[in-house]
Structures are given as structure tokens and as C-alpha cells.
Amino acid sequence: MEKIGIIGAGFVSQAYTTLFMRAGYQVMLSNSRDKKTLFSVATRLNCQIGSQEEAIKFGDIILVAIPFINYTQLPAKLLSGKIVLDATNYYPTRDGHLGQLDNHETTTSELVAKHLDKSRVVKVFNAILAKDVIKDAKPNDKSDRRAIPIAGDDLAAKQIVFTLLESIGYDYVDVGALSNSWRFERAKPAYCIPLSRQRLNDALAQASKEVEVPHNSWQTNNQ
């Protein structure tokens, strides 16, 4: 699992590209436009670029960092069998209101997994601001690391992501199944707040489906 394909080329994706490459992974960045539009980014980050299809074929692991509303455009057939890291977030003001989410009937990651029904979907990397991704990573220091919440139904896939998180400098908290991922979605106590493993566990436990917690920084989280 040494190759990572990334769908989406925004600030979150660029920050993780830097961390992944520092940890020794090969990375291919893609967007929904012509890959030539990524030339300056590729030059700055020294990463590979490709079309969405090329990035999927390239990667053992695929990071999806796109506006949530576009998840239905992901090519399910091409992503079959892949470990897909779902970093999307639901913002009603951007994505429009979706009754299933507004009524807490499901989670963003469960909808993604339903669409990508042959993929191994793991919810991760959504609950951190782009500006904090590199700043908070401590790859050479395991003391007092920031913890990242993670959820998924495939334990083997999660184990691979645990290793990935540790290699780029983060602790983690396994929240369980995708159905529990609402605990670190938008407007919950653990969302985009830098926390140690113990404090993250506490914040996850405090989450309520019906209660939204205001936080000004959310507006700067581009996914």
C-alpha cells in the first residue's frame, strides 16, 4: 500500500500530498478538469498528476476530498475493491439540504459507501482544517500527538489507515462502524478541533445527533 491516488486537488488534498510524500508514499493528484491545470501544483509539490481515472488506477489507496454533493459522480466501477478514504463533509449551505442527513437517518460516509458498494470506504481526514494538516503533524515525535477520528466497516482497511496515520504523524481514535461517523461530522464537538486521543474520545462521547455546536472555523474548511 505504497501508492495513493487523490481525487480533488484543493488545499486539503495538497496538504496531505505533502505529508504522504514526506512519509515515503507515492502520490498522484487529480481533479475534475484537465490534468494540465495541475501543472503548477505538481511542480510546487513535486508530485505526480493525472486524470481521475489515472489516479484511481495508480493508487492502492484513494483519498476523496471533493465537495460532498459530488460524491455520486465518483466512478463506482473503477473504484471497486479500492480502499477509499472519504474526507467529504456535508454543508447544507453549499450542497443543498438532504433530508436523510438533516433527519439523521444516515451519515455522509454511509451514502458514499452505498454509491461505492464494491469499495472499502473509510471515513477519515474530514475533521481537520486544511491549514492545520501539516502544522499539527508530528511524524518524528509520538508524544502528545493530535488524534484523528476514523470510522469504517472493514477492519482490515482501517488497520491500513491506522498505519498511514501513524506514519504521517497523527494518533487516531477508531469510532467504529460508518454508522457512527456522525460523531465527527460538521457541527459536532470533535469537528476540526485539535485534540489529543483522550480529549478526542471525550468530545466524541459528548456528541448528540440533534445538537449542533457552532464554530467559526468551519467556514474555512474547504471540503
Side-chain angles (χ1 to χ4, degrees):
M1 295 291 175
E2 296 179 347
K3 295 181 178 180
I4 301 176
I6 301 182
I7 299 176
F11 295 122
V12 168
S13 297
Q14 292 178 39
Y16 279 113
T17 294
T18 298
L19 286 188
F20 294 154
M21 293 184 66
R22 286 179 182 175
Y25 293 91
Q26 298 177 56
V27 180
M28 181 179 286
L29 198 60
S30 72
N31 62 11
S32 58
R33 297 176 292 167
D34 190 304
K35 63 184 178 183
K36 292 178 182 177
T37 62
L38 295 174
F39 178 78
S40 61
V41 174
T43 301
R44 177 166 50 84
L45 300 180
N46 197 29
C47 67
Q48 300 183 57
I49 55 174
S51 65
Q52 181 175 275
E53 180 177 346
E54 288 170 336
I56 292 170
K57 290 181 178 179
F58 171 86
D60 304 306
I61 299 170
I62 308 299
L63 171 62
V64 174
I66 60 176
F68 172 73
I69 196 64
N70 295 333
Y71 81 90
T72 56
Q73 298 175 21
L74 294 169
K77 187 174 181 179
L78 282 178
L79 287 164
S80 177
K82 298 280 187 176
I83 294 176
V84 175
L85 311 183
D86 171 24
T88 65
N89 285 305
Y90 168 54
Y91 287 93
T93 54
R94 177 195 64 191
D95 302 321
H97 282 276
L98 299 177
Q100 293 180 82
L101 295 175
D102 291 342
N103 297 329
H104 315 297
E105 297 168 10
T106 188
T107 63
T108 55
S109 55
E110 285 178 294
L111 289 177
V112 171
K114 185 177 180 180
H115 175 64
L116 304 178
D117 60 342
K118 299 293 193 298
S119 300
R120 305 164 70 188
V121 175
V122 177
K123 188 72 172 185
V124 68
F125 295 141
N126 68 298
I128 181 170
L129 296 173
K131 67 182 181 65
D132 293 337
V133 169
I134 295 174
K135 177 175 67 71
D136 290 352
K138 298 172 70 176
N140 300 314
D141 181 5
K142 293 189 176 183
S143 63
D144 196 31
R145 281 179 165 180
R146 177 171 178 168
I148 299 291
I150 176 174
D153 298 336
D154 186 317
L155 183 56
K158 284 197 290 188
Q159 292 286 351
I160 290 168
V161 182
F162 296 159
T163 299
L164 173 62
L165 284 164
E166 289 175 340
S167 71
I168 64 173
Y170 284 99
D171 274 341
Y172 58 85
V173 172
D174 183 0
V175 184
L178 291 177
S179 59
N180 294 328
S181 62
W182 63 269
R183 291 187 176 275
F184 55 95
E185 289 182 343
R186 177 191 59 82
K188 301 306 175 192
Y191 185 67
C192 294
I193 307 296
L195 300 169
S196 65
R197 180 173 286 174
Q198 182 56 57
R199 292 181 65 205
L200 177 57
N201 269 308
D202 293 342
L204 291 164
Q206 292 167 10
S208 168
K209 285 186 176 181
E210 290 73 28
V211 178
E212 293 198 348
V213 181
H215 195 287
N216 292 335
S217 295
W218 297 341
Q219 301 306 316
T220 64
N221 190 31
N222 62 312
Q223 298 303 346

